């Protein structure tokens, strides 16, 4: 097979997703100029898929695993039509030649197909216009297949698959691929009127949910949310109606290569990704979630969900086993339905016989008597079998009741009622059938009583007739007992179903109780840890508070020590001032100072007073006494010793001590020293000039009470 020839013959199939067609060129070499704008990765992909298509038979046989990996990564759009035909072996089908003849015929499904055409991809450019090319070719393919397979005919959902094929290839090739899909990919069994294959897929998928997502399965059962309510469209349309078209197309690539397995994998991956949200919703909320939320989760692309799909556990052998189990279950159901039909038929025949007996006693031969005896023996055997089956069912019921008594009771009746809703729905059909059987038995009994009343006088006619009537009577009684036994067997099975349901409910309650207990233990542990953390924080706060209190006490002690030091320094300064004043007074009284010496002495004294003034000013600045009044002279005010012999602090002076103005108003004793001191003999001569030299004189003022001392120069 030559690659260039394939591309030429399939040029019509290289159609874009919006319905536009595009020629593929005569060869890969001639198409290199058209793909010059592609990236190197895309060019490599084109070359690789070109080689695969060119050497398809060899690749399919020897490199099947590598081919699957490439398909999972996605088939390039321009190779998709060719590869799909090669994957399903639809490139050379004889039925392709019959397509034009099929279009000339009339199909009984044409009205249904026309009705659903407008609903298929209503937003896609290729199909949205009424009577457009897309709708016309879609109608042609669906009509042709309905004529080829009259058993299936037309089924809703198949049009979406055909529509996707028409987006990739011409209608003749799409028709061939669709026929192959229906025959070899289980789609025909899915679209049959009975849809038996769809029921099998639902059974297998529900088992996978129960095995891999047990919590979600319990929630679905509690909400009566059946698998078919959300997953049937996944299998019928291969996600084409549920996911964005690019994502569904990538999944369809894998479906063409691997079959329905990818639908199971992707479906379970979607449930895993949304398990947390679904468990918190009711039935209506879950339906809205599947319809509105999940499709938007895949807008970013299919890679995430495909990667998650191949993390799902899928066991092919287990699927085969589940298929056998499902077939067995359906066979038993069919047998039960056949048995019910047989009983109804027998009841109808009995009624007919009773009506015949009521009209008149016919003549019976020996052969008819022997036939009645054989029927009587068979009826007794069936009655014995029914009794054995009934006994077995009763033993099972007793065993289940014993196991149920060992389970703890649950007072939450409302929760039990919610769980029993789905079970009650299943019981309705069985109860209806049971009521019908009981009604039929009552009708038979009424007919029999009427028959006995009407033919009471005819049983004494002769021995043969009496024997025949006895056999008929016994046969009627046996069949009545058989019908009663069947009804009782039905009722016993119903009771067994109820017991099994209660057992399942109790198991679910135990599981929920264990989960609640674990949650409570986790809450207790969390609260204990939080309590420990809070206790540690409290201890840390107390420690910091103690440190702050100690630090504040140390600071208070340091302040008090500094204040004491300042008081001591001021006391020393007061002592020095007092000593200086005493020295001045002694110098004047004793006349030891001459004029020169006294001037020098006064100058030195002034310097000492200035130094003392600076020191006092510094001390006052440290003690922070604002608003100190100004003086025209130099005033040195010392703290005096109180009555208790203690020095007052600066705060006590501000509150209790006399003000500076009050101190100045007190009586003073002044000692004057002339500016020019001479000998003691010349003091009297210079007394006259005292008034003129007041401004230049030195005055020592001593308060009489001794509370404050001041020296003024």
């Amino acid at each position: 097979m030559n690659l260039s020839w394939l591309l030429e013959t399939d040029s019509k199939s290289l159609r874009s997703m919006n319905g536009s067609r595009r020629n593929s060129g005569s060869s890969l070499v001639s198409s290199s100029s058209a793909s010059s704008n592609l990236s190197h990765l895309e060019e490599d992909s084109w070359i690789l898929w070109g080689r695969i298509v060119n050497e398809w038979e060899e690749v399919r046989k020897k490199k099947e695993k590598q081919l699957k990996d490439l398909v999972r990564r996605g088939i390039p759009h321009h190779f998709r039509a060719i590869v799909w035909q090669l994957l399903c072996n639809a490139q050379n089908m004889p039925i392709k030649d019959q397509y034009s003849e099929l279009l000339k015929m009339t199909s009984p499904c044409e009205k249904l197909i026309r009705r659903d055409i407008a609903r298929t991809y209503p937003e896609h450019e290729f199909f949205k216009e009424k009577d457009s090319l897309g709708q016309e070719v879609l109608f042609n393919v669906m009509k042709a297949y309905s004529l080829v397979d009259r058993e299936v005919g037309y089924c809703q959902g198949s049009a979406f698959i055909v529509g996707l094929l028409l987006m990739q290839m011409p209608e003749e090739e799409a028709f061939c691929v669709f026929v192959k899909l229906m025959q070899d990919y289980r789609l025909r069994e899915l679209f049959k009127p009975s849809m038996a294959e769809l029921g099998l897929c639902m059974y297998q998928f529900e088992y996978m949910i129960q095995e891999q997502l047990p919590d979600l399965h319990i929630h679905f059962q509690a909400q009566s949310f059946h698998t078919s309510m959300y997953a049937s469209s996944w299998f019928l349309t291969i996600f084409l109606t549920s996911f964005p078209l690019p994502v569904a197309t990538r999944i369809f690539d894998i479906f063409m290569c691997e079959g329905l397995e990818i639908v199971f994998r992707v479906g379970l991956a979607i449930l895993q990704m949304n398990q947390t949200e679904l468990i918190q919703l009711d039935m209506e909320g879950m339906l809205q979630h599947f319809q509105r939320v999940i499709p938007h989760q895949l807008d970013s692309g299919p890679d995430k969900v495909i990667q998650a799909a191949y993390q799902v556990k899928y066991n092919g052998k287990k699927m085969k086993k589940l298929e056998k189990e499902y077939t067995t279950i359906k066979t038993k159901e069919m047998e039960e339905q056949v048995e019910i039909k047989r009983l109804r038929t027998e009841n109808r025949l009995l009624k007919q016989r009773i009506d015949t007996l009521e009209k008149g006693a016919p003549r019976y031969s020996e052969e008819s008597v022997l036939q009645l005896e054989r029927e009587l023996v068979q009826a007794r055997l069936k009655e014995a079998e029914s009794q054995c089956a009934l006994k077995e069912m009763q033993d099972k019921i007793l065993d289940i009741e014993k196991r149920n008594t060992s389970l703890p009771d649950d007072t939450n009746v409302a929760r039990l009622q919610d769980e029993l809703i789905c079970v009650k729905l299943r019981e309705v059909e069985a109860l209806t059938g049971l009521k019908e059987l009981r009604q039929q038995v009552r009708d038979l009994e009424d007919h029999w009583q009427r028959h006995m009343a009407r033919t009471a006088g005819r049983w004494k006619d002769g021995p043969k007739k009496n024997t025949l009537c006895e056999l008929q009577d016994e046969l009627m009684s046996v069949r009545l007992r058989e019908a009663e036994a069947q009804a009782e067997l039905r009722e016993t099975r119903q009771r067994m179903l109820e017991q099994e349901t209660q057992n399942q409910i109790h198991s679910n309650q135990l599981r929920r109780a264990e989960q609640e207990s674990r949650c409570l233990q986790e809450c207790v542990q969390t609260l204990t840890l939080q309590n420990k953390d809070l206790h540690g924080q409290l201890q840390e706060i107390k420690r910091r508070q103690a440190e702050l209190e100690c630090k504040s006490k140390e600071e208070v002690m340091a302040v008090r020590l500094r204040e004491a030091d300042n008081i001591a320094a001021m006391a020393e300064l007061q002592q020095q001032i007092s000593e200086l004043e005493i020295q001045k007074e002694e110098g004047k009284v004793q006349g030891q100072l001459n004029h020169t010496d006294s001037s020098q002495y006064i100058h030195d004294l002034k310097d000492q007073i200035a130094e003392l003034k600076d020191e006092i000013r510094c001390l006052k600045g440290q003690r922070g006494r604002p608003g100190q009044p100004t003086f025209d002279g130099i005033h040195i005010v010392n703290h005096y010793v109180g009555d208790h012999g203690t020095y007052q602090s600066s705060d006590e002076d501000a509150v209790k001590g006399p003000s500076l103005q009050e101190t100045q108003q007190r009586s003073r004793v002044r000692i004057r020293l002339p500016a020019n001191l001479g000998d003691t003999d010349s003091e009297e001569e210079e007394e006259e000039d005292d008034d003129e030299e007041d401004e230049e004189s030195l005055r020592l003022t001593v308060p009489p009470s001794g509370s404050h001392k001041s020296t003024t120069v």
Side-chain angles (χ1 to χ4, degrees):
M1 183 182 295
N2 191 353
L3 175 61
S4 61
W5 178 80
L6 274 174
L7 290 176
E8 288 175 355
T9 56
D10 289 294
S11 60
K12 295 182 180 179
S13 66
L14 302 180
R15 187 185 327 201
S16 62
M17 297 297 290
N18 60 2
S20 62
R21 298 176 181 262
R22 181 176 176 182
N23 293 327
S24 61
S26 60
S27 65
L28 285 176
V29 177
S30 63
S31 63
S32 60
S33 59
S35 61
S36 59
N37 294 328
L38 297 175
S39 63
H40 293 292
L41 182 61
E42 291 175 338
E43 292 178 357
D44 294 339
S45 177
W46 273 54
I47 295 171
L48 178 60
W49 279 101
R51 291 177 179 175
I52 290 172
V53 171
N54 194 26
E55 303 170 0
W56 178 257
E57 296 297 333
E58 182 180 358
V59 172
R60 188 69 181 268
K61 292 178 181 178
K62 297 182 180 180
K63 299 181 180 180
E64 186 176 1
K65 185 177 179 181
Q66 291 84 346
L67 179 62
K68 283 186 177 181
D69 292 337
L70 287 173
V71 172
R72 290 174 185 176
R73 295 176 187 174
I75 302 172
H77 172 64
H78 294 83
F79 286 94
R80 185 166 279 140
I82 303 173
V83 175
W84 282 4
Q85 294 178 58
L86 292 172
L87 284 171
C88 65
N89 296 322
Q91 63 270 29
N92 293 315
M93 291 182 66
I95 200 172
K96 184 176 181 180
D97 299 330
Q98 304 175 13
Y99 182 74
S100 58
E101 297 297 327
L102 291 171
L103 295 182
K104 298 176 182 178
M105 301 170 63
T106 302
S107 172
C109 303
E110 288 185 7
K111 290 184 178 180
L112 293 176
I113 297 172
R114 286 290 185 190
R115 183 191 64 186
D116 291 339
I117 286 296
R119 306 176 187 175
T120 306
Y121 301 111
E123 297 179 359
H124 199 278
E125 292 292 334
F126 192 47
F127 299 100
K128 69 178 183 179
E129 295 294 334
K130 186 178 180 181
D131 299 328
S132 61
L133 176 62
Q135 290 191 3
E136 191 63 25
V137 295
L138 179 58
F139 173 80
N140 292 340
V141 175
M142 298 306 302
K143 172 187 172 182
Y145 184 81
S146 67
L147 292 170
V148 171
D149 190 355
R150 294 185 179 272
E151 181 183 359
V152 175
Y154 168 75
C155 182
Q156 288 182 342
S158 59
F160 287 91
I161 297 176
V162 176
L164 180 64
L165 297 176
L166 290 171
M167 296 178 197
Q168 312 297 328
M169 60 191 75
E171 57 183 292
E172 296 88 355
E173 298 173 3
F175 171 72
C176 295
V177 173
F178 183 64
V179 171
K180 272 293 185 180
L181 292 177
M182 296 293 284
Q183 293 176 352
D184 300 340
Y185 287 75
R186 296 170 60 184
L187 292 184
R188 185 174 186 275
E189 302 298 323
L190 284 171
F191 289 114
K192 275 186 176 181
S194 62
M195 289 189 171
E197 192 71 11
L198 181 61
L200 171 60
C201 292
M202 296 297 102
Y203 182 78
Q204 293 172 330
F205 190 66
E206 186 172 0
Y207 175 82
M208 292 180 66
I209 298 172
Q210 184 178 4
E211 184 181 40
Q212 301 186 34
L213 302 173
D215 294 336
L216 186 61
H217 180 263
I218 292 171
H219 180 66
F220 283 172
Q221 293 293 323
Q223 296 292 331
S224 299
F225 194 64
H226 302 295
T227 310
S228 59
M229 298 174 69
Y230 62 93
S232 58
S233 63
W234 294 354
F235 289 87
L236 290 173
T237 64
I238 321 299
F239 300 103
L240 289 171
T241 59
S242 303
F243 292 172
L245 192 57
V247 178
T249 306
R250 280 284 303 278
I251 296 173
F252 202 87
D253 288 342
I254 304 172
F255 169 73
M256 294 291 294
C257 184
E258 303 179 21
L260 280 176
E261 177 183 342
I262 187 61
V263 182
F264 288 96
R265 289 183 175 275
V266 172
L268 204 64
I270 289 294
L271 294 181
Q272 285 179 347
M273 293 165 62
N274 294 270
Q275 181 179 7
T276 305
E277 293 81 2
L278 290 173
I279 289 178
Q280 299 175 359
L281 301 173
D282 56 2
M283 180 189 293
E284 185 178 354
M286 287 188 288
L287 286 173
Q288 295 292 330
H289 191 82
F290 278 104
Q291 294 173 1
R292 299 180 181 179
V293 178
I294 290 179
H296 292 293
Q297 293 177 352
L298 305 174
D299 289 337
S300 59
D303 294 332
K304 182 179 179 181
V305 69
I306 292 175
Q307 184 178 2
Y310 283 97
Q311 301 297 324
V312 172
K313 297 179 182 178
Y314 182 88
N315 191 341
K317 294 181 179 179
K318 186 64 178 178
M319 288 297 181
K320 292 289 184 182
K321 185 178 179 182
L322 290 173
E323 184 177 356
K324 292 180 180 179
E325 290 179 2
Y326 182 78
T327 305
T328 304
I329 293 171
K330 286 298 177 182
T331 303
K332 289 182 179 180
E333 290 180 358
M334 292 296 294
E335 290 176 354
E336 290 178 358
Q337 292 178 2
V338 171
E339 182 68 19
I340 291 173
K341 290 181 180 179
R342 187 186 65 80
L343 290 173
R344 290 176 178 174
T345 303
E346 288 184 359
N347 290 333
R348 187 172 64 255
L349 293 174
L350 287 172
K351 289 180 181 180
Q352 291 176 0
R353 289 185 181 182
I354 290 171
D355 294 336
T356 304
L357 289 172
E358 288 176 353
K359 291 178 180 178
R363 296 178 181 179
Y364 296 97
S365 63
E366 292 181 357
E367 293 179 358
S368 62
V369 173
L370 293 174
Q371 181 66 25
L372 290 172
E373 287 178 351
R374 286 193 294 268
E375 290 180 2
L376 178 60
V377 172
Q378 292 178 0
R380 286 180 177 177
L381 289 175
K382 289 182 179 179
E383 183 180 6
E385 291 175 357
S386 300
Q387 292 293 335
C388 292
L390 180 62
K391 188 176 181 180
E392 290 178 359
M393 293 296 177
Q394 289 175 349
D395 294 337
K396 287 183 180 180
I397 289 172
L398 291 174
D399 186 23
I400 293 172
E401 287 177 350
K402 288 180 181 179
R403 282 187 292 175
N404 286 339
T405 53
S406 62
L407 295 174
D409 294 332
D410 191 356
T411 57
N412 193 354
V413 181
R415 184 177 295 175
L416 288 175
Q417 290 176 349
D418 293 338
E419 292 181 351
L420 283 174
I421 290 175
C422 59
V423 178
K424 292 298 183 182
L425 294 175
R426 298 175 185 174
E427 296 175 2
V428 171
E429 185 178 356
L431 290 174
T432 304
L434 186 60
K435 289 179 181 179
E436 290 178 357
L437 288 175
R438 288 179 177 175
Q439 185 63 35
Q440 292 170 2
V441 171
R442 293 193 192 96
D443 294 340
L444 285 174
E445 289 179 351
D446 294 339
H447 283 295
W448 177 252
Q449 293 297 330
R450 288 196 300 270
H451 171 68
M452 291 298 294
R454 293 176 183 177
T455 59
R458 299 176 184 175
W459 295 96
K460 299 178 182 180
D461 291 341
K464 269 190 176 180
K465 291 184 177 180
N466 290 335
T467 304
L468 182 60
C469 292
E470 288 176 0
L471 288 174
Q472 289 178 346
D473 188 9
E474 190 172 357
L475 177 61
M476 181 64 69
S477 301
V478 168
R479 290 186 175 178
L480 289 173
R481 287 196 298 271
E482 181 185 1
E484 291 176 353
Q486 291 292 337
E488 190 174 356
L489 180 62
R490 283 282 184 181
E491 187 175 359
T492 304
R493 287 180 179 174
Q494 187 63 32
R495 290 181 58 193
M496 186 179 69
L497 178 62
E498 291 177 357
Q499 295 296 330
E500 290 177 352
T501 304
Q502 291 180 2
N503 187 15
Q504 182 66 26
I505 290 171
H506 285 298
S507 300
N508 294 336
Q509 290 172 357
L510 284 175
R511 191 181 298 110
R512 283 196 299 271
E514 291 176 356
Q515 291 176 356
E516 291 177 358
S517 177
R518 286 195 297 269
C519 291
L520 290 175
Q521 289 178 358
E522 292 176 357
C523 291
V524 169
Q525 293 177 358
T526 304
L527 292 174
T528 304
L529 293 175
Q530 291 178 356
N531 190 15
K532 288 182 180 179
D533 294 338
L534 292 174
H535 185 70
Q537 293 177 4
L538 181 62
Q539 294 295 331
E540 180 68 18
I541 291 171
K542 288 182 178 180
R543 185 184 62 78
R544 291 179 181 177
Q545 185 178 3
E547 290 179 355
L548 291 174
E549 289 178 355
C550 293
K551 190 174 182 181
S552 63
K553 289 180 180 179
E554 290 176 357
E555 291 177 354
V556 170
M557 291 297 296
V559 170
R560 290 182 179 178
L561 289 174
R562 288 196 297 271
E563 186 176 357
D565 293 339
N566 291 335
I567 292 173
M570 291 181 68
E572 291 178 359
L573 290 174
Q574 288 178 353
Q575 184 66 29
Q576 292 177 5
I577 291 171
S578 300
E579 289 176 357
L580 289 173
E581 289 177 350
I582 292 170
Q583 289 177 3
K584 289 178 183 178
E585 292 177 358
E586 289 178 353
K588 180 182 177 182
V589 172
Q590 294 177 2
Q592 296 177 355
L593 298 173
N594 53 19
H595 180 73
T596 305
D597 294 336
S598 63
S599 300
Q600 186 65 33
Y601 181 77
I602 290 170
H603 186 267
D604 295 338
L605 186 62
K606 288 181 179 180
D607 293 340
Q608 291 180 3
I609 289 171
E611 292 176 359
L612 292 174
K613 178 181 176 183
D614 293 338
E615 290 183 6
I616 290 173
R617 187 175 300 162
C618 291
L619 290 174
K620 286 182 180 181
Q622 290 179 0
R623 298 185 65 181
R625 293 183 61 184
Q628 183 70 27
T630 56
F631 301 97
D632 52 355
I634 298 175
H635 293 272
I636 301 174
V637 182
N638 295 317
H639 292 275
Y640 63 92
V641 179
D643 297 336
H644 301 288
T646 60
Y647 291 99
Q648 294 179 353
S649 65
S650 61
D651 294 336
E652 292 173 351
D653 290 339
V655 177
K656 296 181 180 180
S659 62
L660 189 61
Q661 288 81 357
E662 293 177 354
T663 304
Q664 290 177 355
Q665 291 176 359
R666 293 181 180 179
S667 59
R668 299 179 180 179
V669 176
R670 296 184 179 181
I671 301 174
R672 296 183 180 180
L673 292 177
N676 298 321
L677 293 176
D679 295 334
T680 56
D681 296 337
S682 61
E683 288 179 356
E684 294 179 356
E685 295 177 358
E686 294 177 339
E687 286 179 356
E688 296 178 355
D689 299 326
D690 286 342
D691 295 333
E692 298 176 359
E693 297 175 354
D694 282 342
E695 295 179 358
E696 298 177 359
S697 64
L698 175 65
R699 294 175 300 182
L700 297 177
T701 306
V702 180
S705 61
S707 60
H708 281 76
K709 297 179 181 180
S710 62
T711 303
T712 304
V713 178

